[in-house]
Every structure is written in structure tokens, then in C-alpha cells.
Amino acid sequence: DIQMTQSPSSLSASVGDRVTITCRASQGISNYLAWYQQKPGKVPKLLIYAASTLQSGVPSRFSGSGSGTDFTLTISSLQPEDVATYYCQKYNSAPLSLTFGGGTKVEIK
Amino acid sequence: EVQLVESGGGLVQPGRSLRLSCAASGFTFDDYAMHWVRQAPGKGLEWVSGISWNSGSIGYADSVKGRFTISRDNAKNSLYLQMNSLRAEDTALYYCAKVSSVIAVAGQFDYWGQGTLVTVSS
């Protein structure tokens, strides 16, 4: 089974900082990768899919990149409302297995 | 408006069974694959199981394989998860989620329910 490893597990940054979260797959997954944001007590929200496509309605300060095994989620200018835990997820259909990364908790310094 | 409403959670003893349901509305249910995702208290997201639009393709996480069974009834716009031989480590909030792309069995989840809590304890 393909494993998804996120780093760091948590980070603290200042408002306006550029924040980068990394997700690594144990095998190549092409661009079958999504990123979700989960605020405390809330349901996960889709941010990015196909590694770099921004979901409708998501602020443009969020961006994704990567292909194969290494992926990144970038917040270009961290805002207070971005405090959340972020998860990557790979989705391949053969075999059907949609694994999440362990999550990255983002806080404001 | 897309709505996914889970039900069926509760307190259950180890070794017993529980059946979760997810009622869908606001979209053409039989065009989309559906999945279950769980989140143990204070922990991360864990994919549990998924089913294609026509039930022709089904998958399970290793942690539930052989104990959980996913199914759907397109006539009732409903998704189910039969959970047998429950263990303490199955305690979690269980979400149903809709795949974004028509027909694709795997893909990003664009809508999630609010979840139903399953607690396995004696």
C-alpha cells in the first residue's frame, strides 16, 4: 500500500508569512493528490485537487504543486482564518485506496 | 444544495455490530462514487471504504477489511456501512463523502456530511 507522509506535523508562523507543507508518497501517484483544510470542530474542506488545481471559491493565496512522489501546499500570505489542520490525500483507483497524510497543524505565532 | 446526512452511530460493545447510513440529496446520487472516512478523537483523517456509482468497484482500508461492508441503494439515495466485530480502535466520527467527478470511483471529495459518532466500549 502507498503511504503518504506529511511534514512538518505542526508549524507556527506569523500573519503574512509564506507557509509550505510537504507531502511525500511512498510510490509515484502521478498527480492524483488533493489537499484539505480542517478547522477545529469543522468538516474537512477541499482546497486543491489534481495536485495543483484550486477548488472553486478557495482563496488564491493557496497553491499546490508536485507530481509523482513529492507535493507541496503553499499559503503565500498566512491569514488568521488559515489556522487549521491540513491533510493531503492520494486517490488512485487500482486498487481502490484513498490514503490521507498524517496532517499538518498550522498556528499563528 | 448538496446534503449528506449520516445516522446510525452510537455506543456499542466490543464485538458487536452497527450499521451506518448516509442520506444524500441535492445531486444525482447514482452518478457518483461515495466513500466513508473516519476520524478518531483528536486524530487525523482515515479513509475507510469507497464504492463506485454502480457498486461495481469497492475498496476497504486494511484496518477494516473483512469486518466492514459498504453498500448503496441508488433508488433510496443512500449509502451504508455495515460494521461487524467492532473494536475499541473503531471509535471515531464517521463521515460520508462524495467524489467530485462523475462516474470516477476515486477522486477528491467535494462534499462531506457532518459525521456520526461511533463509540466502541464496554
mmCIF file of all heavy atoms in Angstrom, chain B residues 11-53:
data_model
loop_
_atom_site.group_PDB
_atom_site.id
_atom_site.type_symbol
_atom_site.label_atom_id
_atom_site.label_comp_id
_atom_site.label_asym_id
_atom_site.label_seq_id
_atom_site.Cartn_x
_atom_site.Cartn_y
_atom_site.Cartn_z
ATOM 1 N N LEU B 11 -23.225 4.192 20.981
ATOM 2 C CA LEU B 11 -22.352 3.418 21.856
ATOM 3 C C LEU B 11 -22.630 1.939 21.649
ATOM 4 O O LEU B 11 -23.781 1.497 21.718
ATOM 5 C CB LEU B 11 -22.605 3.813 23.312
ATOM 6 C CG LEU B 11 -21.858 3.023 24.384
ATOM 7 C CD1 LEU B 11 -20.355 3.211 24.249
ATOM 8 C CD2 LEU B 11 -22.340 3.449 25.775
ATOM 9 N N VAL B 12 -21.582 1.178 21.414
ATOM 10 C CA VAL B 12 -21.733 -0.256 21.167
ATOM 11 C C VAL B 12 -20.598 -1.003 21.853
ATOM 12 O O VAL B 12 -19.485 -0.470 21.983
ATOM 13 C CB VAL B 12 -21.766 -0.541 19.646
ATOM 14 C CG1 VAL B 12 -20.476 -0.095 18.984
ATOM 15 C CG2 VAL B 12 -22.077 -1.989 19.354
ATOM 16 N N GLN B 13 -20.886 -2.204 22.303
ATOM 17 C CA GLN B 13 -19.867 -3.009 22.978
ATOM 18 C C GLN B 13 -18.900 -3.636 21.974
ATOM 19 O O GLN B 13 -19.291 -3.917 20.820
ATOM 20 C CB GLN B 13 -20.535 -4.114 23.794
ATOM 21 C CG GLN B 13 -21.346 -3.604 24.968
ATOM 22 C CD GLN B 13 -22.011 -4.733 25.730
ATOM 23 O OE1 GLN B 13 -22.387 -5.750 25.137
ATOM 24 N NE2 GLN B 13 -22.164 -4.560 27.030
ATOM 25 N N PRO B 14 -17.678 -3.879 22.400
ATOM 26 C CA PRO B 14 -16.727 -4.571 21.514
ATOM 27 C C PRO B 14 -17.286 -5.902 21.041
ATOM 28 O O PRO B 14 -17.945 -6.633 21.804
ATOM 29 C CB PRO B 14 -15.502 -4.763 22.419
ATOM 30 C CG PRO B 14 -15.592 -3.677 23.427
ATOM 31 C CD PRO B 14 -17.064 -3.494 23.683
ATOM 32 N N GLY B 15 -17.063 -6.188 19.760
ATOM 33 C CA GLY B 15 -17.533 -7.431 19.181
ATOM 34 C C GLY B 15 -18.916 -7.343 18.568
ATOM 35 O O GLY B 15 -19.325 -8.237 17.820
ATOM 36 N N ARG B 16 -19.648 -6.277 18.874
ATOM 37 C CA ARG B 16 -20.997 -6.132 18.333
ATOM 38 C C ARG B 16 -20.975 -5.442 16.979
ATOM 39 O O ARG B 16 -19.903 -5.107 16.442
ATOM 40 C CB ARG B 16 -21.867 -5.344 19.330
ATOM 41 C CG ARG B 16 -21.933 -5.944 20.712
ATOM 42 C CD ARG B 16 -22.551 -7.330 20.704
ATOM 43 N NE ARG B 16 -23.965 -7.318 20.385
ATOM 44 C CZ ARG B 16 -24.933 -7.321 21.304
ATOM 45 N NH1 ARG B 16 -24.634 -7.302 22.599
ATOM 46 N NH2 ARG B 16 -26.202 -7.350 20.940
ATOM 47 N N SER B 17 -22.160 -5.225 16.427
ATOM 48 C CA SER B 17 -22.298 -4.649 15.087
ATOM 49 C C SER B 17 -23.076 -3.348 15.114
ATOM 50 O O SER B 17 -23.831 -3.087 16.056
ATOM 51 C CB SER B 17 -23.022 -5.639 14.164
ATOM 52 O OG SER B 17 -22.296 -6.833 14.030
ATOM 53 N N LEU B 18 -22.889 -2.590 14.049
ATOM 54 C CA LEU B 18 -23.599 -1.315 13.889
ATOM 55 C C LEU B 18 -23.709 -1.047 12.393
ATOM 56 O O LEU B 18 -22.806 -1.421 11.623
ATOM 57 C CB LEU B 18 -22.815 -0.200 14.572
ATOM 58 C CG LEU B 18 -23.555 1.005 15.138
ATOM 59 C CD1 LEU B 18 -24.619 0.579 16.149
ATOM 60 C CD2 LEU B 18 -22.559 1.948 15.810
ATOM 61 N N ARG B 19 -24.792 -0.416 11.976
ATOM 62 C CA ARG B 19 -24.957 -0.065 10.575
ATOM 63 C C ARG B 19 -25.139 1.446 10.457
ATOM 64 O O ARG B 19 -26.081 2.006 11.022
ATOM 65 C CB ARG B 19 -26.165 -0.775 9.970
ATOM 66 C CG ARG B 19 -26.259 -0.612 8.448
ATOM 67 C CD ARG B 19 -27.617 -0.996 7.932
ATOM 68 N NE ARG B 19 -27.644 -1.229 6.496
ATOM 69 C CZ ARG B 19 -28.728 -1.095 5.753
ATOM 70 N NH1 ARG B 19 -29.879 -0.732 6.302
ATOM 71 N NH2 ARG B 19 -28.696 -1.337 4.456
ATOM 72 N N LEU B 20 -24.247 2.063 9.706
ATOM 73 C CA LEU B 20 -24.339 3.496 9.448
ATOM 74 C C LEU B 20 -25.065 3.735 8.134
ATOM 75 O O LEU B 20 -24.945 2.939 7.199
ATOM 76 C CB LEU B 20 -22.950 4.129 9.395
ATOM 77 C CG LEU B 20 -22.034 3.918 10.597
ATOM 78 C CD1 LEU B 20 -20.741 4.703 10.400
ATOM 79 C CD2 LEU B 20 -22.711 4.281 11.892
ATOM 80 N N SER B 21 -25.769 4.853 8.078
ATOM 81 C CA SER B 21 -26.441 5.264 6.848
ATOM 82 C C SER B 21 -26.040 6.688 6.507
ATOM 83 O O SER B 21 -25.682 7.478 7.390
ATOM 84 C CB SER B 21 -27.965 5.208 7.018
ATOM 85 O OG SER B 21 -28.407 3.902 7.303
ATOM 86 N N CYS B 22 -26.107 6.999 5.223
ATOM 87 C CA CYS B 22 -25.853 8.355 4.753
ATOM 88 C C CYS B 22 -26.922 8.679 3.721
ATOM 89 O O CYS B 22 -26.981 8.042 2.670
ATOM 90 C CB CYS B 22 -24.457 8.458 4.152
ATOM 91 S SG CYS B 22 -24.107 10.031 3.318
ATOM 92 N N ALA B 23 -27.761 9.652 4.039
ATOM 93 C CA ALA B 23 -28.829 10.066 3.125
ATOM 94 C C ALA B 23 -28.338 11.241 2.292
ATOM 95 O O ALA B 23 -27.892 12.253 2.841
ATOM 96 C CB ALA B 23 -30.072 10.454 3.918
ATOM 97 N N ALA B 24 -28.414 11.086 0.981
ATOM 98 C CA ALA B 24 -27.902 12.107 0.067
ATOM 99 C C ALA B 24 -29.029 12.837 -0.633
ATOM 100 O O ALA B 24 -30.069 12.234 -0.957
ATOM 101 C CB ALA B 24 -26.978 11.460 -0.966
ATOM 102 N N SER B 25 -28.817 14.120 -0.888
ATOM 103 C CA SER B 25 -29.789 14.906 -1.633
ATOM 104 C C SER B 25 -29.085 16.064 -2.311
ATOM 105 O O SER B 25 -27.948 16.407 -1.965
ATOM 106 C CB SER B 25 -30.896 15.426 -0.714
ATOM 107 O OG SER B 25 -30.358 16.255 0.286
ATOM 108 N N GLY B 26 -29.766 16.636 -3.303
ATOM 109 C CA GLY B 26 -29.217 17.817 -3.978
ATOM 110 C C GLY B 26 -28.318 17.511 -5.162
ATOM 111 O O GLY B 26 -27.754 18.434 -5.762
ATOM 112 N N PHE B 27 -28.172 16.243 -5.512
ATOM 113 C CA PHE B 27 -27.381 15.868 -6.688
ATOM 114 C C PHE B 27 -27.870 14.506 -7.165
ATOM 115 O O PHE B 27 -28.615 13.816 -6.464
ATOM 116 C CB PHE B 27 -25.882 15.832 -6.376
ATOM 117 C CG PHE B 27 -25.459 14.787 -5.372
ATOM 118 C CD1 PHE B 27 -24.861 13.606 -5.777
ATOM 119 C CD2 PHE B 27 -25.638 14.992 -4.006
ATOM 120 C CE1 PHE B 27 -24.464 12.637 -4.859
ATOM 121 C CE2 PHE B 27 -25.251 14.038 -3.083
ATOM 122 C CZ PHE B 27 -24.659 12.854 -3.504
ATOM 123 N N THR B 28 -27.437 14.123 -8.353
ATOM 124 C CA THR B 28 -27.841 12.836 -8.928
ATOM 125 C C THR B 28 -26.979 11.743 -8.308
ATOM 126 O O THR B 28 -25.860 11.479 -8.763
ATOM 127 C CB THR B 28 -27.698 12.857 -10.461
ATOM 128 O OG1 THR B 28 -28.427 13.958 -10.990
ATOM 129 C CG2 THR B 28 -28.240 11.551 -11.055
ATOM 130 N N PHE B 29 -27.497 11.143 -7.262
ATOM 131 C CA PHE B 29 -26.713 10.219 -6.423
ATOM 132 C C PHE B 29 -26.073 9.105 -7.242
ATOM 133 O O PHE B 29 -24.899 8.768 -7.029
ATOM 134 C CB PHE B 29 -27.635 9.630 -5.349
ATOM 135 C CG PHE B 29 -26.955 8.723 -4.371
ATOM 136 C CD1 PHE B 29 -26.066 9.216 -3.428
ATOM 137 C CD2 PHE B 29 -27.213 7.346 -4.383
ATOM 138 C CE1 PHE B 29 -25.441 8.376 -2.516
ATOM 139 C CE2 PHE B 29 -26.593 6.500 -3.481
ATOM 140 C CZ PHE B 29 -25.708 7.015 -2.540
ATOM 141 N N ASP B 30 -26.805 8.533 -8.184
ATOM 142 C CA ASP B 30 -26.264 7.363 -8.883
ATOM 143 C C ASP B 30 -25.259 7.715 -9.971
ATOM 144 O O ASP B 30 -24.842 6.850 -10.729
ATOM 145 C CB ASP B 30 -27.383 6.462 -9.412
ATOM 146 C CG ASP B 30 -28.381 7.178 -10.274
ATOM 147 O OD1 ASP B 30 -28.128 8.346 -10.644
ATOM 148 O OD2 ASP B 30 -29.434 6.584 -10.578
ATOM 149 N N ASP B 31 -24.830 8.975 -10.046
ATOM 150 C CA ASP B 31 -23.742 9.371 -10.940
ATOM 151 C C ASP B 31 -22.381 9.378 -10.242
ATOM 152 O O ASP B 31 -21.347 9.533 -10.906
ATOM 153 C CB ASP B 31 -23.985 10.780 -11.493
ATOM 154 C CG ASP B 31 -24.881 10.775 -12.715
ATOM 155 O OD1 ASP B 31 -25.164 9.689 -13.261
ATOM 156 O OD2 ASP B 31 -25.301 11.881 -13.136
ATOM 157 N N TYR B 32 -22.372 9.244 -8.913
ATOM 158 C CA TYR B 32 -21.149 9.497 -8.162
ATOM 159 C C TYR B 32 -20.761 8.365 -7.230
ATOM 160 O O TYR B 32 -21.616 7.754 -6.579
ATOM 161 C CB TYR B 32 -21.302 10.770 -7.327
ATOM 162 C CG TYR B 32 -21.450 12.014 -8.161
ATOM 163 C CD1 TYR B 32 -22.716 12.463 -8.534
ATOM 164 C CD2 TYR B 32 -20.338 12.728 -8.592
ATOM 165 C CE1 TYR B 32 -22.865 13.590 -9.318
ATOM 166 C CE2 TYR B 32 -20.469 13.865 -9.374
ATOM 167 C CZ TYR B 32 -21.733 14.285 -9.736
ATOM 168 O OH TYR B 32 -21.875 15.406 -10.509
ATOM 169 N N ALA B 33 -19.441 8.134 -7.169
ATOM 170 C CA ALA B 33 -18.921 7.244 -6.144
ATOM 171 C C ALA B 33 -19.034 7.928 -4.783
ATOM 172 O O ALA B 33 -19.021 9.153 -4.682
ATOM 173 C CB ALA B 33 -17.460 6.904 -6.430
ATOM 174 N N MET B 34 -19.112 7.095 -3.754
ATOM 175 C CA MET B 34 -19.238 7.595 -2.397
ATOM 176 C C MET B 34 -18.246 6.868 -1.490
ATOM 177 O O MET B 34 -17.883 5.710 -1.750
ATOM 178 C CB MET B 34 -20.658 7.370 -1.865
ATOM 179 C CG MET B 34 -21.744 8.115 -2.638
ATOM 180 S SD MET B 34 -21.674 9.903 -2.454
ATOM 181 C CE MET B 34 -22.009 10.082 -0.699
ATOM 182 N N HIS B 35 -17.835 7.538 -0.429
ATOM 183 C CA HIS B 35 -16.828 6.974 0.461
ATOM 184 C C HIS B 35 -17.175 7.242 1.916
ATOM 185 O O HIS B 35 -17.953 8.152 2.230
ATOM 186 C CB HIS B 35 -15.452 7.581 0.152
ATOM 187 C CG HIS B 35 -14.918 7.194 -1.192
ATOM 188 N ND1 HIS B 35 -13.885 6.297 -1.337
ATOM 189 C CD2 HIS B 35 -15.279 7.561 -2.444
ATOM 190 C CE1 HIS B 35 -13.622 6.138 -2.625
ATOM 191 N NE2 HIS B 35 -14.465 6.890 -3.323
ATOM 192 N N TRP B 36 -16.562 6.443 2.783
ATOM 193 C CA TRP B 36 -16.607 6.677 4.222
ATOM 194 C C TRP B 36 -15.195 7.024 4.705
ATOM 195 O O TRP B 36 -14.225 6.368 4.334
ATOM 196 C CB TRP B 36 -17.096 5.443 4.964
ATOM 197 C CG TRP B 36 -18.553 5.133 4.785
ATOM 198 C CD1 TRP B 36 -19.102 4.228 3.920
ATOM 199 C CD2 TRP B 36 -19.650 5.735 5.490
ATOM 200 N NE1 TRP B 36 -20.472 4.233 4.038
ATOM 201 C CE2 TRP B 36 -20.836 5.140 4.996
ATOM 202 C CE3 TRP B 36 -19.759 6.701 6.489
ATOM 203 C CZ2 TRP B 36 -22.102 5.486 5.471
ATOM 204 C CZ3 TRP B 36 -21.015 7.037 6.962
ATOM 205 C CH2 TRP B 36 -22.169 6.440 6.448
ATOM 206 N N VAL B 37 -15.117 8.045 5.532
ATOM 207 C CA VAL B 37 -13.867 8.486 6.144
ATOM 208 C C VAL B 37 -14.132 8.623 7.638
ATOM 209 O O VAL B 37 -15.206 9.082 8.033
ATOM 210 C CB VAL B 37 -13.407 9.855 5.571
ATOM 211 C CG1 VAL B 37 -12.157 10.351 6.288
ATOM 212 C CG2 VAL B 37 -13.164 9.745 4.064
ATOM 213 N N ARG B 38 -13.174 8.237 8.468
ATOM 214 C CA ARG B 38 -13.383 8.377 9.902
ATOM 215 C C ARG B 38 -12.269 9.185 10.540
ATOM 216 O O ARG B 38 -11.178 9.344 9.980
ATOM 217 C CB ARG B 38 -13.503 7.009 10.565
ATOM 218 C CG ARG B 38 -12.231 6.178 10.590
ATOM 219 C CD ARG B 38 -12.517 4.795 11.184
ATOM 220 N NE ARG B 38 -11.323 3.975 11.246
ATOM 221 C CZ ARG B 38 -11.319 2.700 11.663
ATOM 222 N NH1 ARG B 38 -12.467 2.104 12.036
ATOM 223 N NH2 ARG B 38 -10.193 2.015 11.696
ATOM 224 N N GLN B 39 -12.567 9.685 11.727
ATOM 225 C CA GLN B 39 -11.606 10.488 12.471
ATOM 226 C C GLN B 39 -11.751 10.171 13.948
ATOM 227 O O GLN B 39 -12.764 10.530 14.565
ATOM 228 C CB GLN B 39 -11.823 11.978 12.206
ATOM 229 C CG GLN B 39 -10.762 12.870 12.796
ATOM 230 C CD GLN B 39 -10.854 14.291 12.264
ATOM 231 O OE1 GLN B 39 -11.930 14.810 11.980
ATOM 232 N NE2 GLN B 39 -9.708 14.926 12.112
ATOM 233 N N ALA B 40 -10.774 9.470 14.496
ATOM 234 C CA ALA B 40 -10.773 9.167 15.918
ATOM 235 C C ALA B 40 -10.590 10.468 16.701
ATOM 236 O O ALA B 40 -10.009 11.430 16.181
ATOM 237 C CB ALA B 40 -9.661 8.177 16.238
ATOM 238 N N PRO B 41 -11.070 10.529 17.925
ATOM 239 C CA PRO B 41 -10.973 11.760 18.720
ATOM 240 C C PRO B 41 -9.540 12.286 18.790
ATOM 241 O O PRO B 41 -8.623 11.567 19.194
ATOM 242 C CB PRO B 41 -11.472 11.317 20.091
ATOM 243 C CG PRO B 41 -12.375 10.171 19.820
ATOM 244 C CD PRO B 41 -11.772 9.454 18.645
ATOM 245 N N GLY B 42 -9.353 13.515 18.347
ATOM 246 C CA GLY B 42 -8.045 14.153 18.397
ATOM 247 C C GLY B 42 -7.036 13.639 17.389
ATOM 248 O O GLY B 42 -5.853 14.005 17.456
ATOM 249 N N LYS B 43 -7.490 12.821 16.442
ATOM 250 C CA LYS B 43 -6.570 12.215 15.468
ATOM 251 C C LYS B 43 -6.855 12.714 14.064
ATOM 252 O O LYS B 43 -7.735 13.547 13.847
ATOM 253 C CB LYS B 43 -6.698 10.686 15.523
ATOM 254 C CG LYS B 43 -6.398 10.100 16.890
ATOM 255 C CD LYS B 43 -4.961 10.336 17.314
ATOM 256 C CE LYS B 43 -4.656 9.661 18.644
ATOM 257 N NZ LYS B 43 -3.256 9.919 19.090
ATOM 258 N N GLY B 44 -6.129 12.174 13.108
ATOM 259 C CA GLY B 44 -6.266 12.586 11.720
ATOM 260 C C GLY B 44 -7.355 11.839 10.977
ATOM 261 O O GLY B 44 -8.063 10.999 11.538
ATOM 262 N N LEU B 45 -7.470 12.154 9.701
ATOM 263 C CA LEU B 45 -8.474 11.525 8.840
ATOM 264 C C LEU B 45 -7.976 10.161 8.371
ATOM 265 O O LEU B 45 -6.799 10.006 8.044
ATOM 266 C CB LEU B 45 -8.748 12.407 7.626
ATOM 267 C CG LEU B 45 -9.251 13.819 7.924
ATOM 268 C CD1 LEU B 45 -9.312 14.642 6.638
ATOM 269 C CD2 LEU B 45 -10.604 13.783 8.600
ATOM 270 N N GLU B 46 -8.890 9.201 8.338
ATOM 271 C CA GLU B 46 -8.569 7.869 7.840
ATOM 272 C C GLU B 46 -9.641 7.440 6.858
ATOM 273 O O GLU B 46 -10.814 7.337 7.212
ATOM 274 C CB GLU B 46 -8.472 6.853 8.981
ATOM 275 C CG GLU B 46 -8.140 5.440 8.506
ATOM 276 C CD GLU B 46 -8.207 4.392 9.594
ATOM 277 O OE1 GLU B 46 -8.776 4.652 10.665
ATOM 278 O OE2 GLU B 46 -7.684 3.269 9.358
ATOM 279 N N TRP B 47 -9.225 7.160 5.626
ATOM 280 C CA TRP B 47 -10.161 6.614 4.644
ATOM 281 C C TRP B 47 -10.554 5.206 5.077
ATOM 282 O O TRP B 47 -9.698 4.398 5.455
ATOM 283 C CB TRP B 47 -9.520 6.590 3.270
ATOM 284 C CG TRP B 47 -10.358 5.937 2.222
ATOM 285 C CD1 TRP B 47 -11.448 6.471 1.603
ATOM 286 C CD2 TRP B 47 -10.200 4.634 1.673
ATOM 287 N NE1 TRP B 47 -11.972 5.578 0.696
ATOM 288 C CE2 TRP B 47 -11.230 4.435 0.717
ATOM 289 C CE3 TRP B 47 -9.300 3.592 1.886
ATOM 290 C CZ2 TRP B 47 -11.359 3.261 -0.023
ATOM 291 C CZ3 TRP B 47 -9.409 2.422 1.154
ATOM 292 C CH2 TRP B 47 -10.443 2.259 0.218
ATOM 293 N N VAL B 48 -11.866 4.918 5.006
ATOM 294 C CA VAL B 48 -12.366 3.619 5.466
ATOM 295 C C VAL B 48 -12.766 2.727 4.300
ATOM 296 O O VAL B 48 -12.344 1.571 4.209
ATOM 297 C CB VAL B 48 -13.580 3.824 6.405
ATOM 298 C CG1 VAL B 48 -14.225 2.485 6.755
ATOM 299 C CG2 VAL B 48 -13.161 4.578 7.663
ATOM 300 N N SER B 49 -13.592 3.273 3.394
ATOM 301 C CA SER B 49 -14.129 2.448 2.322
ATOM 302 C C SER B 49 -14.747 3.327 1.250
ATOM 303 O O SER B 49 -15.137 4.475 1.519
ATOM 304 C CB SER B 49 -15.183 1.490 2.879
ATOM 305 O OG SER B 49 -15.708 0.658 1.869
ATOM 306 N N GLY B 50 -14.824 2.804 0.038
ATOM 307 C CA GLY B 50 -15.449 3.524 -1.057
ATOM 308 C C GLY B 50 -16.186 2.574 -1.983
ATOM 309 O O GLY B 50 -15.882 1.373 -2.037
ATOM 310 N N ILE B 51 -17.160 3.127 -2.709
ATOM 311 C CA ILE B 51 -17.986 2.328 -3.611
ATOM 312 C C ILE B 51 -18.289 3.141 -4.854
ATOM 313 O O ILE B 51 -18.601 4.339 -4.774
ATOM 314 C CB ILE B 51 -19.274 1.871 -2.894
ATOM 315 C CG1 ILE B 51 -20.099 0.924 -3.762
ATOM 316 C CG2 ILE B 51 -20.125 3.072 -2.449
ATOM 317 C CD1 ILE B 51 -21.222 0.225 -2.993
ATOM 318 N N SER B 52 -18.181 2.513 -6.008
ATOM 319 C CA SER B 52 -18.459 3.204 -7.268
ATOM 320 C C SER B 52 -19.951 3.447 -7.432
ATOM 321 O O SER B 52 -20.781 2.910 -6.690
ATOM 322 C CB SER B 52 -17.922 2.394 -8.445
ATOM 323 O OG SER B 52 -18.570 1.138 -8.510
ATOM 324 N N TRP B 53 -20.297 4.200 -8.465
ATOM 325 C CA TRP B 53 -21.685 4.602 -8.680
ATOM 326 C C TRP B 53 -22.610 3.407 -8.834
ATOM 327 O O TRP B 53 -23.762 3.435 -8.389
ATOM 328 C CB TRP B 53 -21.778 5.500 -9.911
ATOM 329 C CG TRP B 53 -21.419 4.803 -11.187
ATOM 330 C CD1 TRP B 53 -20.161 4.592 -11.677
ATOM 331 C CD2 TRP B 53 -22.314 4.204 -12.123
ATOM 332 N NE1 TRP B 53 -20.219 3.894 -12.859
ATOM 333 C CE2 TRP B 53 -21.528 3.641 -13.162
ATOM 334 C CE3 TRP B 53 -23.700 4.090 -12.198
ATOM 335 C CZ2 TRP B 53 -22.091 2.980 -14.257
ATOM 336 C CZ3 TRP B 53 -24.271 3.430 -13.286
ATOM 337 C CH2 TRP B 53 -23.461 2.887 -14.295
#
